[in-house]
Amino acid sequence: MSELPDYALVNRETWTKANAEYTDANAERAWSRDITWGMWSVPEEDVHALPDVADKDVIELGCGTAYFSAYLARLGARVVGVDVTPAQLETARRMQKRFGLEFPLIEANAEDVPLPDESFDLVHSEYGASIWCDPYKWIPEASRLLRPGGHLVFLRNSTLAVLCATVEGPPSETLQRPQLGLHKLEWSEPDPEIEFQLGHGDWIRLLRANGFEIEDLIELFAPEGAVDHGYYASNAEWAKKWPSEEIWRVRLQTR
């Protein structure tokens, strides 16, 4: 694996701790459910974010414990998971044995994946590379990995939620930071972590510059009856009024 940037080292340490405190214990439950999106577990059948994956080559950038890759493997995809955190990949391998579902898992930075050009029909990220990697590096990498006509689908915090996020994490009903210059955010609570966020205009320009045509932008709201997440910072009442998350679906144009 190539040398990691400083922010990847910080985030790997944080996710090693998170795996010990939360994700490992919840991995079996995550692997057992149907496809859902985000902290509010919005069913894929309600949003239709994914293209047909049967008999397609798929790579997940920032797969964590690889539950989302497992969903797609069950649908007939040939899946590869990539993540920078060994502890999470170890949990993923344990789940593979538990569920009898094998697919390659690669320890690597999603900004620099050791696989050939044009190897995949779908690149996807659910809170993996989509926020923990620099978009000016991982979006070109996603474009490189995709075959012409292939899709990129990724879930991130909504721009509005990022602009309203407090130091503690949950969004407030007032803006907390400017959108101008939005890119790299460094948090200290509850643990040090570095994420990357852009405004919608910057996302559109970046995606188009790397050959993508935007097919959909799906804004996710908390459903009625939703409550705050037990581990990750959230505000269910806020998210019933404003989108807390969003899914981008884009297609790589023919070169």
Side-chain angles (χ1 to χ4, degrees):
M1 184 170 63
S2 59
E3 185 175 352
L4 295 175
D6 291 346
Y7 52 83
L9 295 172
V10 170
N11 291 335
R12 184 173 65 179
E13 183 175 347
T14 294
W15 276 104
T16 299
K17 181 181 178 182
N19 194 69
E21 294 178 347
Y22 179 79
T23 54
D24 183 81
N26 286 275
E28 185 167 341
R29 178 177 60 85
W31 271 64
S32 299
R33 67 189 185 210
D34 293 330
I35 298 177
T36 62
W37 290 94
M39 68 180 72
W40 313 118
S41 299
V42 180
E44 163 63 14
E45 62 186 22
D46 291 344
V47 299
H48 306 290
L50 294 169
D52 179 21
V53 299
D55 202 33
K56 298 294 179 62
D57 295 304
V58 176
I59 187 168
E60 181 175 8
L61 299 182
C63 66
T65 59
Y67 57 84
F68 210 105
S69 286
Y71 303 157
L72 303 186
R74 292 191 193 103
L75 294 176
R78 294 181 294 272
V79 175
V80 176
V82 174
D83 202 273
V84 76
T85 305
Q88 298 232 92
L89 292 175
E90 184 58 34
T91 295
R93 293 186 181 98
R94 182 167 60 83
M95 290 297 102
Q96 287 183 326
K97 293 178 181 178
R98 166 70 178 81
F99 287 86
L101 192 62
E102 297 290 332
F103 49 84
L105 295 168
I106 299 173
E107 182 185 341
N109 179 7
E111 300 170 354
D112 184 18
V113 178
L115 292 172
D117 296 358
E118 299 187 7
S119 295
F120 297 95
D121 304 297
L122 170 65
V123 174
H124 72 100
S125 177
E126 188 217 29
Y127 281 138
S130 55
I131 69 168
W132 304 110
C133 292
D134 188 335
Y136 292 101
K137 295 180 180 179
W138 83 263
I139 291 294
E141 185 70 344
S143 178
R144 181 187 71 81
L145 291 167
L146 275 172
R147 297 174 180 130
H151 281 91
L152 167 63
V153 178
F154 61 96
L155 173 75
R156 62 180 290 267
N157 311 97
S158 74
T159 296
L160 182 59
V162 172
L163 297 179
C164 292
T166 62
V167 174
E168 295 79 16
S172 73
E173 295 196 6
T174 59
L175 296 173
Q176 302 294 306
R177 60 189 47 78
Q179 182 171 324
L180 183 65
L182 185 65
H183 179 218
K184 183 178 182 181
L185 295 173
E186 300 188 36
W187 304 99
S188 58
E189 298 294 337
D191 294 295
E193 59 185 52
I194 299 170
E195 65 183 62
F196 295 87
Q197 303 284 0
L198 299 177
H200 289 148
D202 288 333
W203 272 116
I204 290 169
R205 284 183 287 275
L206 175 59
L207 290 165
R208 287 172 60 88
N210 284 278
F212 289 106
E213 176 186 7
I214 297 165
E215 291 190 341
D216 206 354
L217 173 58
I218 304 163
E219 296 173 313
L220 300 182
F221 296 80
E224 289 302 320
V227 297
D228 292 354
H229 197 285
Y231 185 80
Y232 299 111
S234 62
N235 185 333
E237 293 306 311
W238 189 97
K240 291 173 184 176
K241 296 179 285 186
W242 298 288
S244 59
E245 301 167 300
E246 58 193 38
I247 305 168
W248 290 73
R249 172 173 159 150
V250 302
R251 180 191 283 268
L252 187 64
Q253 297 174 322
T254 302
R255 293 186 174 92

